[in-house]
Amino acid sequence: MVGGGGNGGGCDGDGGHSRRPRAIFMAFGTRGDVFPIAALAAAFAQDQRQYSVVFITHSAHQSLSTHLADCNVRYMPVSSPPVLAAEQLESISCDSVQSNVEHDSFSQRKKIIQVEHRKECLSAVEDVFGNDMSTHELFQVKCIIAAPYFVPYSAPASFERQFKQSLPLLYKYFQEAPLNMVCWTDITHWMWALFMESWGSWRNDSLNLSPIPFTDIGRSALIMGFLRNPKAFLMVLKDVIEKTDYRFILFSSGYQPLDSAIQSVASSVAESSVCQASALHCDIAIHHAGSGSTAAALFAGVAQIACPFLLDQFYWAERLHWLGVAPEPLRRQHLIPDTDNASSIKNAADMLIGTIKSALSSEIKAQAIRIANKLSSEDGIGEALRILKERVLPQSES
């Protein structure tokens, strides 16, 4: 969001009131979601020094604060987690009365987190722009959306028909809107969710806006995914090691069930050590196809094996295969079988061995290097900054 000085007098980078124009960058999710937007915020602050720049994200990304401060960006944390704990997800299946209770409890907890997250974000924005201003929509500032990945979900099949029946004039407006304005393509691509009841009630109850966007008169979510069976995963790797001359460097971000499994399995492995290494020292990067892991491996120029678990990971996994830097994506059970019996472990290990052999082909390795060389010559932040300035800044400031 980018706003002018205004009568509300937002807070500057030092916490005092200022008539400087203000720009808010908000990013939520894991590091792969947040870090690209943080880099863009830092570049904007360095390029547009007349702006007071604020970055709002999860408190879990506190490590960003020092770098952002060095770039004159004010870091404002919210307490919501980047993702919900894997343990909560793992305890949920759909085959018992107990699991239904757990599912209801998880759903309720998720709703509470969403409500608190929105409340904290609103409070942070009010702190910057001032909470006494007239109510883009509430604060009358320009907005631009930057998605680090392809939106992995689509509107319900009946959405357009119901929208057209319920809001015929608004439907006509979006259909006829020029390309530089919000149009029906934007609605069906990602904005459709804002017209659902969960957002409508929040707009009405918390923002005092119409439940339906654009109808206010006069107002212009861990490494390798979450592991249901860490022990089985490690047994697969152990079986591959015993059958081949391959060696693995396993990166863990402190997921306790995985760490415990590592300790129990490591005692039966001849050699175990804690390694600090980068993908540059490896022949293949095997990962869950999160946007951050995907980008790191692409820049490193190594072949990849993707095993997606949820959301955008399936998109990135398919994209890696399409680019020619990875074989076809593994299915979850090919890397992390549901059970750790001998048959399941053997089948998964054989599949992984075959996939590793494919990834080590001269064609894939050469393509990975070509892609890395191409990426090294790009200025992604500079290009994003150019587009941002073009879209939201007045011509006199850009």
Side-chain angles (χ1 to χ4, degrees):
M1 304 180 202
V2 179
N7 295 325
C11 296
D12 63 18
D14 297 322
H17 288 282
S18 170
R19 295 186 65 84
R20 294 170 62 195
R22 288 140 291 172
I24 295 180
F25 291 77
M26 306 175 75
F28 305 107
T30 60
R31 288 183 295 181
D33 304 310
V34 172
F35 279 36
I37 307 302
L40 180 56
F44 182 89
Q46 294 294 294
D47 186 79
Q48 300 290 317
R49 294 183 179 274
Q50 73 275 24
Y51 272 82
S52 177
V53 181
V54 175
F55 187 72
I56 302 173
T57 189
H58 307 287
S59 57
H61 300 308
Q62 176 72 33
S63 60
L64 284 170
S65 59
T66 300
H67 171 69
L68 291 174
D70 291 341
C71 297
N72 296 316
V73 177
R74 179 185 174 194
Y75 167 78
M76 295 185 70
V78 295
S79 62
S80 58
V83 292
L84 294 184
E87 293 91 333
Q88 290 177 288
L89 292 172
E90 290 172 357
S91 67
I92 299 169
S93 60
C94 298
D95 55 2
S96 69
V97 174
Q98 177 63 27
S99 68
N100 289 334
V101 174
E102 292 172 342
H103 184 276
D104 291 343
S105 177
F106 173 74
S107 298
Q108 186 61 31
R109 177 61 180 157
K110 182 178 178 180
K111 290 179 181 178
I112 293 173
I113 291 175
Q114 288 175 337
V115 169
E116 291 303 313
H117 173 78
R118 293 174 185 177
K119 185 184 299 184
E120 287 190 53
C121 288
L122 177 59
S123 177
V125 174
E126 287 177 341
D127 183 47
V128 175
F129 286 120
N131 58 12
D132 58 343
M133 298 176 67
S134 61
T135 83
H136 218 261
E137 288 174 280
L138 187 62
F139 292 98
Q140 296 289 311
V141 296
K142 294 180 180 179
C143 297
I144 187 169
I145 306 299
Y149 57 81
F150 179 80
V151 177
Y153 48 81
S154 57
S158 62
F159 176 78
E160 182 169 4
R161 175 178 54 80
Q162 293 180 351
F163 192 106
K164 187 176 181 179
Q165 289 177 349
S166 303
L167 303 163
L169 294 180
L170 191 57
Y171 179 79
K172 183 174 184 293
Y173 167 79
F174 286 133
Q175 288 283 359
E176 298 174 355
L179 292 178
N180 61 338
M181 301 290 288
V182 174
C183 61
W184 187 248
T185 300
D186 298 303
I187 303 299
T188 56
H189 177 51
W190 70 274
M191 290 183 69
W192 60 269
L194 301 181
F195 292 84
M196 296 301 184
E197 183 179 352
S198 62
W199 279 102
S201 59
W202 181 73
R203 286 170 54 87
N204 186 69
D205 298 340
S206 300
L207 305 184
N208 294 318
L209 294 171
S210 164
I212 302 172
F214 299 93
T215 59
D216 289 274
I217 305 301
R219 297 171 181 164
S220 334
L222 115 138
I223 190 169
M224 301 301 294
F226 55 86
L227 304 180
R228 293 181 181 274
N229 193 340
K231 183 181 178 182
F233 165 62
L234 295 175
M235 291 176 68
V236 171
L237 298 187
K238 181 174 179 286
D239 198 42
V240 172
I241 290 172
E242 293 173 349
K243 292 179 178 178
T244 68
D245 60 351
Y246 302 146
R247 293 296 178 264
F248 296 95
I249 298 174
L250 178 61
F251 289 91
S252 170
S253 58
Y255 177 48
Q256 193 276 327
L258 176 59
D259 289 343
S260 297
I262 290 172
Q263 295 303 316
S264 64
V265 173
S267 61
S268 63
V269 178
E271 181 179 347
S272 175
S273 61
V274 177
C275 300
Q276 293 293 333
S278 73
L280 287 171
H281 300 109
C282 301
D283 295 306
I284 302 174
I286 305 175
H287 57 86
H288 62 303
S291 56
S293 301
T294 297
L298 286 173
F299 272 100
V302 297
Q304 301 183 51
I305 294 175
C307 181
F309 290 82
L310 71 169
L311 299 175
D312 61 303
Q313 295 167 10
F314 293 96
Y315 169 77
W316 290 120
E318 291 294 341
R319 186 69 173 170
L320 290 173
H321 179 53
W322 183 85
L323 286 171
V325 298
E328 288 191 24
L330 289 172
R331 296 185 178 181
R332 181 184 59 79
Q333 63 268 28
H334 293 154
L335 191 62
I336 308 174
D338 292 325
T339 61
D340 53 14
N341 60 59
S343 176
S344 297
I345 298 301
K346 179 184 182 301
N347 291 338
D350 290 344
M351 176 62 70
L352 182 55
I353 290 172
T355 305
I356 291 175
K357 289 180 178 178
S358 297
L360 288 174
S361 69
S362 58
E363 295 83 5
I364 287 182
K365 293 169 71 174
Q367 179 66 358
I369 293 173
R370 282 193 290 269
I371 294 293
N373 290 336
K374 185 175 181 180
L375 288 174
S376 66
S377 64
E378 293 183 354
D379 180 14
I381 293 298
E383 179 64 11
L385 179 61
R386 182 191 65 78
I387 295 172
L388 178 63
K389 291 161 61 178
E390 181 182 279
R391 296 291 179 89
V392 303
L393 295 186
Q395 286 297 114
S396 58
E397 295 184 15
S398 60

